[in-house]
Amino acid sequence: DAGITQSPRYKITETGRQVTLMCHQTWSHSYMFWYRQDLGHGLRLIYYSAAADITDKGEVPDGYVVSRSKTENFPLTLESATRSQTSVYFCASSRGLAAYEQYFGPGTRLTVT
Amino acid sequence: GENVEQHPSTLSVQEGDSAVIKCTYSDSASNYFPWYKQELGKGPQLIIDIRSNVGEKKDQRIAVTLNKTAKHFSLHITETQPEDSAVYFCAASMDNDMRFGAGTRLTVKP
């Protein structure tokens, strides 16, 4: 199916565990993004990528790691999950960095206990 | 960096009435202002956007206005329908940075 998908859709993990959220897009967009959504904060950018093997920090990168070995995939890893990382995570893709429409995935709801 | 403030945080209107959501931004270099609609359990989806060389843009029942001097922009929805109920996000961006507002939960009562 064309579009942008995220997996898993829901995840519960314990403090200190490593967890990876997956994102896959079929449009061959150059840019991919990871956001977290928290009540009262809207969407905050964690990391973004301009192309394979090119990544850069966003507004709230601490505690997260990303990689992009293939254009279509952009996984987000929480190396040692903390309760403050409980959130809804959205992946997005776009033709450009900031002045272009971003296409969002359905989100992953992560709970850290 | 850019700072975007969005008001109100919640808005309830009667079906058929108009709804207005306002955003202000801090960086005068911002030049692209999109609005996203997020329905329950889904990711945000672009509904309209405006660039800094345009003051107003319309698409059927929705319109966006931009006042660059005052650094604010607004979303106007006319003849609201129950399916307009959702969370709406504004954003402001420059060449390499986009910031979102905190969102407005719009409820349209039938």
Side-chain angles (χ1 to χ4, degrees):
Chain A
D1 290 336
I4 183 164
T5 57
Q6 294 183 235
S7 62
R9 293 295 312 278
Y10 303 91
K11 177 74 177 179
I12 299 174
T13 191
E14 295 178 343
T15 300
R17 292 202 180 249
Q18 182 181 83
V19 60
T20 296
L21 310 183
M22 304 301 293
C23 179
H24 176 79
Q25 55 108 352
T26 60
W27 290 302
S28 299
H29 284 159
S30 297
Y31 285 84
M32 296 188 73
F33 308 84
W34 273 107
Y35 292 91
R36 59 178 291 172
Q37 184 176 41
D38 305 290
L39 196 63
H41 289 280
L43 293 155
R44 291 182 292 175
L45 182 65
I46 304 170
Y47 269 96
Y48 68 94
S49 169
D53 298 321
I54 301 175
T55 62
D56 208 347
K57 296 178 180 179
E59 186 183 354
V60 288
D62 293 344
Y64 303 95
V65 175
V66 294
S67 62
R68 195 166 176 207
S69 57
K70 292 184 178 181
T71 302
E72 61 267 30
N73 297 324
F74 191 36
L76 175 74
T77 298
L78 289 67
E79 292 191 306
S80 179
T82 65
R83 289 195 182 90
S84 65
Q85 293 177 309
T86 293
S87 186
V88 181
Y89 291 85
F90 287 98
C91 178
S93 70
S94 177
R95 293 185 293 121
L97 177 55
Y100 296 85
E101 177 176 3
Q102 294 191 12
Y103 296 83
F104 286 83
T108 295
R109 182 174 294 276
L110 176 68
T111 302
V112 183
T113 62
Chain B
E2 175 67 275
N3 183 44
V4 178
E5 294 192 359
Q6 182 172 346
H7 299 280
S9 57
T10 61
L11 178 61
S12 182
V13 300
Q14 207 67 37
E15 181 178 359
D17 288 349
S18 295
V20 181
I21 303 170
K22 299 181 179 181
C23 289
T24 60
Y25 60 99
S26 60
D27 197 320
S28 57
S30 290
N31 54 19
Y32 176 64
F33 307 91
W35 285 89
Y36 285 83
K37 176 184 181 182
Q38 184 180 22
E39 297 177 341
L40 194 61
K42 297 183 178 180
Q45 185 173 13
L46 182 75
I47 55 171
I48 195 167
D49 56 11
I50 193 168
R51 298 187 187 271
S52 60
N53 58 345
V54 176
E56 183 176 2
K57 184 177 179 180
K58 287 184 179 180
D59 183 2
Q60 298 182 338
R61 295 186 297 108
I62 60 173
V64 57
T65 59
L66 171 64
N67 184 328
K68 286 216 71 181
T69 303
K71 290 189 282 188
H72 66 71
F73 56 112
S74 302
L75 177 71
H76 304 253
I77 305 175
T78 58
E79 301 172 20
T80 54
Q81 301 167 2
E83 52 265 38
D84 294 330
S85 295
V87 178
Y88 292 81
F89 292 97
C90 65
S93 77
M94 296 172 285
D95 292 339
N96 60 354
D97 186 29
M98 180 183 288
R99 298 295 174 100
F100 287 83
T104 296
R105 181 174 298 279
L106 173 65
T107 302
V108 180
K109 294 181 283 187

